[in-house]
């Protein structure tokens, strides 16, 4: 003959859980949904940044004139193009003044590109601390709900004359659901955080490579008139 434990579903266990455990579960579900929203948003952003970087690198190396490339990238908003336009625009403004030393021209262009890269780095790393927080805190929140549920189960067990597994099992099961939800929220957040952090570092390194290549060409142009 089936017992109440056999016929009880996961949803039924959640409904029978204490108010505090239900609040813990609700917090974890909300954190999981928010983290998945961030994961999808960051995935699209990273994919778009990689595509635009690859497209610009091909254009940058194929174009024979920096002036034409500057005009072609007018109105473009991708990070690589913004780095290029910031550096080249600063170079043009400073090099127009004959009194400006070549060292000052190059330093100004490099600073402009560094600022553009720092701005993009901030954009790429936006919301990553939230994923890190969800990944590190969710298991402990779930564990708190589990401890509270098990504590209530043993308190209830002490109030009955005959202690049986059927009496304590539902309470323990509903408590363990909180831990499961906490892990469900934490694991994707940790994986996504590591992936996005590594991807962000790779993109930033590529932007610095673009900046260094442009600085080399500008230095050559500054000291060898007629170059690109």
């Amino acid at each position: 003959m089936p017992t109440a434990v056999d016929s009880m579903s996961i949803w039924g266990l959640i409904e029978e859980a204490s108010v505090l455990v239900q609040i813990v579960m609700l917090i974890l579900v909300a954190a999981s949904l928010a983290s998945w929203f961030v994961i999808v948003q960051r995935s699209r952003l990273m994919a778009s940044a990689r595509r635009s970087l690859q497209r610009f690198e091909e254009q940058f190396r194929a174009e024979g004139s920096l002036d034409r490339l500057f005009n072609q990238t007018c109105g473009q908003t991708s990070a690589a193009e913004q780095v290029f336009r910031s550096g080249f625009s600063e170079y043009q403004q400073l090099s127009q003044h004959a009194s400006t030393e070549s060292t000052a021209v190059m330093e100004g262009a490099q600073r402009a590109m560094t600022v553009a890269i720092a701005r993009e780095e901030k954009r790429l790393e936006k919301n990553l601390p939230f994923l890190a927080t969800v990944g590190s805190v969710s298991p402990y929140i779930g564990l708190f709900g589990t401890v509270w549920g098990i504590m209530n189960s043993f308190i209830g067990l002490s109030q009955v004359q005959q202690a049986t597994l059927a009496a304590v099992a539902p309470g323990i099961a509903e408590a363990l659901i909180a831990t499961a939800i906490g892990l469900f929220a934490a694991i994707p957040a940790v994986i996504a955080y590591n992936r996005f952090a590594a991807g962000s570092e790779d993109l930033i390194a590529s932007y610095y490579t673009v900046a260094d290549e442009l600085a080399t060409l500008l230095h050559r142009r500054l000291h060898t008139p007629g170059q690109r």
Side-chain angles (χ1 to χ4, degrees), residues 1-15:
M1 182 175 180
T3 63
V5 177
D6 297 328
S7 61
M8 192 171 294
S9 64
I10 293 179
W11 182 251
L13 291 172
I14 294 175
E15 288 182 334

Side-chain angles (χ1 to χ4, degrees), residues 10 48 69 122 137 198:
I10 293 179
S48 176
L69 182 59
K122 183 178 180 181
V137 173

